[in-house]
Amino acid sequence: MSVSRVLVANRGEIAVRIIKACQSLGIETVAAVSEADRESLAAKLASRSVCIGPPRSSDSYLRTATLVAAAQATGCDALHPGYGFLSERAELAQACADNKLTFVGPSVENITVMGDKLQARQIASSSGVPTVPGSDHARTPEEAAQLAENVGYPILLKASAGGGGRGIKLVSNAAEMEMTFKTAAAEAQAAFGNNTLYMERYVGDARHIEVQILGDHFGKVVHLGERDCSLQRRHQKIIEEAPAYALAADVRAKICDAAATLARSIGYRNAGTIEFIYDNETQEFFFLEMNTRIQVEHPVTEMITGVDLVAQQLLIAGGQPLSLEQSDVTFTGHAIECRINAESPQHGFRPCPGRISNWQAPDGAGVRVDSHCYSDYFVPPYYDSLLAKLIVHGADRAHAIDKTRQALASFHVAGIDTGIPFLQTVIDDQDYQSGHVNTRWLEKKLEEYSQVQG
Ligand code: ADP
Ligand code: ADP
Ligand code: MG
């Protein structure tokens, strides 16, 4: 039942990434493109393309029935959802199954169970994986206030259906609870169609650590090590690294084992990521959530393991047993990824779509750029602002930092603003270089930066 023609149900750099992985395996591709993406690099590189509707993603990339029909009309036997958009909707995986299309991702059940963050938390806890002290019940502001007394402030209110950094609210003290609870519930209802909230203790000095998993149809699960994604702006990752350099060897082994155990316990298949929050003070780690898809930052893992994760996704989806044993997975050197967005760091990071008059990306040994951009490409205003991911691999972290600095200096984009100048100040920072960071560090750095920019 191997895969022979894949509908690429996404856009941007990940569409290009999927097409390249398919090409390496001799699989044909059909790029599903909105009217705004007809001239995209994905459309040019794919075996063919098919228009799935108007520019707005709600009229194109978010339409399950249209995507399935496009796959059928173009003779595809599989669909790759990428990340974002419909990638974590059980409904798309189900529609594929109903129409004899192979969904390049986990089972409908895997997605359903882990897509509900509260349920995922309960499953982690019953598999013996530590979860953040908190409460599963927070049905009214009064109940939440009562429970928070035991948990201890500050706490986070989280939307069970949330994701992408949205649906998380900090409550610093009891006086704030009522208002914040009401706002959080109303926003969750509007954004995700579900107002269920739960509560976690806010870990103030924390790192975001996550573990890459691969599982096949035969119950085999291996982990590919962990990543540190602590540098975030509004809960969105900006710079990611592998391995997670700050962890002691025994903690690293425990966190990877915990992730593999959890994935095994739900019969997880295909690529997935289990996210943890790590307390810098106590060295404890706690389960946050599982992302049932390929992740934006997957290349840092590829750089240090030499495993092509998207190719693995396609092979697994095609029914092949995982050829990797846990002992085959070895780690070499250090990798860093910088997300380069179309935004203006000099103007409060406002989005910056428009025509790229000149695009010159760095290259060389250990330097990889995943991107859909080129000179004269028009960045449409309708979508996520990610233009490129710069990924470098060095013998160790210091070497990788040095290489990132050089690569950023030779990355030239004209016509629109990008986040490159801000990334440069981060890479040059002493705290960053010595690794004295936590999940709040980047926001502080950003404030300083904005003040200097005036
Ligand atoms: P998380 O931080 O929750 O793990 P990731 O950083 O891995 O999520 O990326 C998922 C996010 O990527 C989505 O929330 C969405 O905003 C964004 N996204 C979705 N599709 C695309 C795309 N084609 N190009 C760039 N970004 C995208
Ligand atoms: P999302 O589904 O939006 O990705 P997560 O639950 O994965 O939400 O959390 C996103 C980010 O929010 C984390 O990477 C971390 O920086 C921060 N965060 C989440 N939970 C906690 C917590 N309990 N304490 C401190 N920070 C947290
Ligand atoms: Mg997350």
Side-chain angles (χ1 to χ4, degrees), residues 196-417:
T196 309
L197 301 179
Y198 64 103
M199 192 186 302
E200 283 180 359
R201 174 163 69 79
Y202 178 68
V203 183
D205 185 5
R207 283 175 187 274
H208 173 110
I209 308 286
E210 58 183 36
V211 179
Q212 178 70 52
I213 293 293
L214 284 176
D216 67 12
H217 284 81
F218 308 95
K220 185 169 176 186
V221 168
V222 299
H223 71 76
L224 287 97
E226 74 304 320
R227 302 183 277 259
D228 185 322
C229 312
S230 301
L231 297 199
Q232 307 180 349
R233 181 163 63 100
R234 300 196 198 113
H235 304 300
Q236 293 242 30
K237 302 155 189 166
I238 304 286
I239 296 178
E240 303 100 340
E241 306 190 28
Y245 56 94
L247 299 189
D250 61 323
V251 178
R252 178 177 299 164
K254 273 191 210 146
I255 211 167
C256 291
D257 278 352
T261 303
L262 177 53
R264 227 168 264 131
S265 80
I266 60 160
Y268 192 79
R269 63 169 209 246
N270 216 283
T273 297
I274 302 188
E275 298 189 331
F276 297 90
I277 196 100
Y278 171 79
D279 190 327
N280 275 328
E281 282 165 20
T282 63
Q283 303 205 344
E284 291 170 290
F285 62 84
F286 306 104
F287 170 84
L288 281 184
E289 65 158 343
M290 179 166 198
N291 293 322
T292 53
R293 55 171 162 84
I294 192 75
Q295 240 165 329
V296 176
E297 57 274 21
H298 75 277
V300 289
T301 298
E302 297 186 321
M303 293 297 245
I304 65 162
T305 60
V307 175
D308 182 329
L309 291 167
V310 181
Q312 288 294 327
Q313 285 195 291
L314 292 157
L315 293 171
I316 291 168
Q320 294 203 23
L322 203 55
S323 59
L324 287 171
E325 298 298 331
Q326 189 62 62
S327 57
D328 296 333
V329 182
T330 54
F331 307 100
T332 310
H334 193 90
I336 300 177
E337 172 180 286
C338 295
R339 297 193 192 191
I340 294 164
N341 295 320
E343 60 194 10
S344 181
Q346 294 88 353
H347 302 98
F349 290 82
R350 67 163 184 234
C352 231
R355 190 164 302 280
I356 298 177
S357 54
N358 185 31
W359 177 265
Q360 251 181 287
D363 58 7
V367 177
R368 163 176 165 184
V369 176
D370 281 15
S371 178
H372 58 292
C373 296
Y374 49 87
S375 295
D376 215 32
Y377 173 65
F378 183 83
V379 180
Y382 311 101
Y383 313 107
D384 193 278
S385 64
L386 186 68
L387 295 175
K389 303 183 308 204
L390 167 67
I391 310 109
V392 306
H393 187 221
D396 54 27
R397 186 165 185 264
H399 187 213
I401 289 174
D402 207 42
K403 253 187 169 168
T404 302
R405 183 191 297 108
Q406 289 171 35
L408 285 171
S410 55
F411 209 137
H412 300 296
V413 183
I416 60 170
D417 288 343

Side-chain angles (χ1 to χ4, degrees), residues 11 83 91-92 97 103 128 145 147 150 191 238 240 291 299 345 411 420 447:
R11 65 174 308 282
Y83 54 70
E91 175 200 302
L92 177 62
F103 180 73
L147 292 162
N150 298 330
I238 304 286
E240 303 100 340
N291 293 322
F411 209 137
I420 292 173
E447 255 169 54

